[in-house]
């Protein structure tokens, strides 16, 4: 357990950022749920998966927010795994559910032939689950060699995901309607750019950043939250946009 | 942190006003969500954005209400950013999400040509986000020069928004059905009139109003809440009214 001293302003920033993350997830969940009827039925699975991702994240932000508030005693937040500690484990539980779902969403919104879709999903889901699961032992370890070991192991499925997304998936983009391929390309970049935040945060303690440095703690919470809002809310709204573009290309009225 | 002494009656007024704001937001959210089918599909995005605005505000009023209750100890409310303080930051987190959404609603309900709508949104959203973000450092500062500096900086995007709403947007109102242009005009005035509450409250400490004056604190909470109910609930119901008028003008049955 680490005890991190936070000033009133630092406490306020983390408190408000976590609350911001929570309400973004909730509002996006409502928006994507209500928009179901605006896309053709074949794209509704992708959309409801997006609603589930933001809902699952809203639940975890609610827990993280309460955990942060409860763990702050006498000007310090206790970070650890025990009772009353600020529990960073919530983020890993969230990611192991939401990251595979996000990848399935990308495949689902393309509405590929069944065999092609299954092949992509059967490779992306286990790889992404392995990536998150292998990161966690390194995250909670205080030993740098252990951190490096699990970090390297976690990078292997990550590189495989990159390969599938940028080589295998690209083969399917040619047959998409105009504008869709470009938007999928941006979506893929959004995913990779926001995922970049997590390994940077993971590496900081290895690079000599003290685990009890208040500024580093505050920056990590802000960075994770912004990355989550981009990778889940902005991502989900982009999925809706692609589903709308494809629905219109397939005959749905533009103003529906 | 400021400690503000409140009498039992003053506490009761603020407590009830915040609760009033919360339930107005929740009730309007339900009303606009259920009314989706009463407007043509093309106006449903505007309507669901209105539901999101009141939902996001309901979330923040819930937090503000609890924060107020928890921070009131021994006849005084502690206003600040620390744990257990009355957290005014919630209002800024709320506004940075809801103010851009309110402006997008106005554009969405007009259902302009895509290029015209994108052009308005691409100017209004960054300007409104900048207006809120630039106000916050001044709000939390206790130094008057700092307050004036950020206040002036925040006024620049505000004036730009006025220009876009009253000059650029007016060009699109000629082509709207009878009655719609007049209602949009009133909606625009409602937005500007209620926004006027926020800078007045911002200016009070600069004009010599003590930060620990109980009457000023109570008036600020009442003023913010009434402004929020007008700018979000009454605003959202007006959006619904406009969407109904336009739907009827475009062939939807009047009694639908």
């Amino acid at each position: 357990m680490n005890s991190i001293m936070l000033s009133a302003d630092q406490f306020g920033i983390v408190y408000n950022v976590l609350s911001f993350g929570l309400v973004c997830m909730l509002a996006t969940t409502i928006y994507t749920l209500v928009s179901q009827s605006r896309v053709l039925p074949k794209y509704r699975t992708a959309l409801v998966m997006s609603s589930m991702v933001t809902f699952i994240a809203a639940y975890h932000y609610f827990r993280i927010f309460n955990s942060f508030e409860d763990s702050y005693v006498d000007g310090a937040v206790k970070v650890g795994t025990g009772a009353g500690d600020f529990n960073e484990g919530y983020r890993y539980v969230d990611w192991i559910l939401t990251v595979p779902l996000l990848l399935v969403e990308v495949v689902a919104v393309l509405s590929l032939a069944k065999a092609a879709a299954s092949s992509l999903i059967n490779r992306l889901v286990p790889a992404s689950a392995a990536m998150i699961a292998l990161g966690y032992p390194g995250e909670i370890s205080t030993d740098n060699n252990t951190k490096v070991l699990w970090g390297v192991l976690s990078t292997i499925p990550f590189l495989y995901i990159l390969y599938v997304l940028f080589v295998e998936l690209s083969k399917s983009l040619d047959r998409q309607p105009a504008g869709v391929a470009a938007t999928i390309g941006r979506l893929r970049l959004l995913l990779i750019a926001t995922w970049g935040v997590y390994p940077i945060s993971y590496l900081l303690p290895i690079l000599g950043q003290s685990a009890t440095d208040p500024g580093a703690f505050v920056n990590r919470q802000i960075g994770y939250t912004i990355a989550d809002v981009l990778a889940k809310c902005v991502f989900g709204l982009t999925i809706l946009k692609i589903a709308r573009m494809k629905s219109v290309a397939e005959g749905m009225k533009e103003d529906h």
Side-chain angles (χ1 to χ4, degrees), chain A residues 24-46:
Chain A
C24 285
M25 298 300 170
L26 283 176
T28 312
T29 306
I30 294 174
Y31 189 87
T32 48
L33 281 178
V34 171
S35 301
Q36 279 275 325
S37 65
R38 301 189 67 225
V39 303
L40 289 178
K42 67 205 264 196
Y43 299 116
R44 290 183 190 157
T45 307

Side-chain angles (χ1 to χ4, degrees), chain A residues 11-256:
Chain A
F11 174 85
I13 289 169
V14 173
Y15 187 89
N16 287 323
V17 159
L18 294 176
S19 175
F20 166 82
L22 168 52
V23 77
C24 285
M25 298 300 170
L26 283 176
T28 312
T29 306
I30 294 174
Y31 189 87
T32 48
L33 281 178
V34 171
S35 301
Q36 279 275 325
S37 65
R38 301 189 67 225
V39 303
L40 289 178
K42 67 205 264 196
Y43 299 116
R44 290 183 190 157
T45 307
L47 203 55
V48 72
M49 278 181 187
S50 170
S51 309
M52 282 169 66
V53 163
T54 48
F55 176 77
I56 292 168
Y59 167 82
H60 285 113
Y61 268 89
F62 179 78
R63 292 284 187 205
I64 291 170
F65 179 89
N66 286 351
S67 171
F68 175 70
E69 200 180 9
D70 293 346
S71 70
Y72 186 77
V73 178
D74 296 332
V77 60
K78 293 169 288 147
V79 179
T81 53
D85 291 355
F86 180 52
N87 175 16
E88 299 252 53
Y90 284 129
R91 295 200 182 274
Y92 277 80
V93 179
D94 182 74
W95 295 337
I96 208 158
L97 290 166
T98 57
V99 171
L101 275 171
L102 286 169
L103 293 169
V104 174
E105 263 177 61
V106 179
V107 177
V109 85
L110 291 173
S111 95
L112 306 173
K114 246 188 188 132
S118 298
S119 155
L120 286 168
I121 287 172
N122 289 341
R123 284 181 285 166
L124 288 171
V125 168
S128 54
M131 174 177 78
I132 308 294
L134 292 170
Y136 186 64
E139 173 78 36
I140 55 165
S141 167
T142 49
D143 174 55
N144 271 354
N145 289 332
T146 313
K147 270 186 186 295
V148 170
L149 172 70
W150 291 106
V152 169
L153 288 175
S154 167
T155 305
I156 298 167
F158 172 68
L159 294 175
Y160 180 69
I161 294 169
L162 287 192
Y163 163 77
V164 175
L165 283 183
F166 283 84
V167 181
E168 298 288 316
L169 189 80
S170 298
K171 293 176 195 159
S172 312
L173 292 185
D174 309 337
R175 274 152 284 161
Q176 298 294 319
V180 168
T183 312
I184 293 272
R186 279 200 299 276
L187 193 72
R188 207 165 45 179
L189 286 179
L190 176 70
L191 211 59
I192 300 305
T194 52
W195 286 6
V197 174
Y198 309 118
I200 291 170
S201 158
Y202 183 92
L203 281 173
L204 285 178
I206 301 174
L207 299 172
Q209 177 88 61
S210 159
T212 57
D213 182 69
F217 175 80
V218 172
N219 288 336
R220 199 166 67 236
Q221 299 309 320
I222 296 173
Y224 276 154
T225 307
I226 292 174
D228 276 338
V229 169
L230 290 173
K232 296 186 170 87
C233 300
V234 176
F235 186 92
L237 297 177
T238 311
I239 289 284
L240 171 58
K241 185 184 166 188
I242 294 169
R244 291 269 304 147
M245 286 164 80
K246 295 196 71 173
S247 298
V248 169
E250 289 164 36
M252 198 177 209
K253 277 194 5 209
E254 181 107 32
D255 59 2
H256 187 84

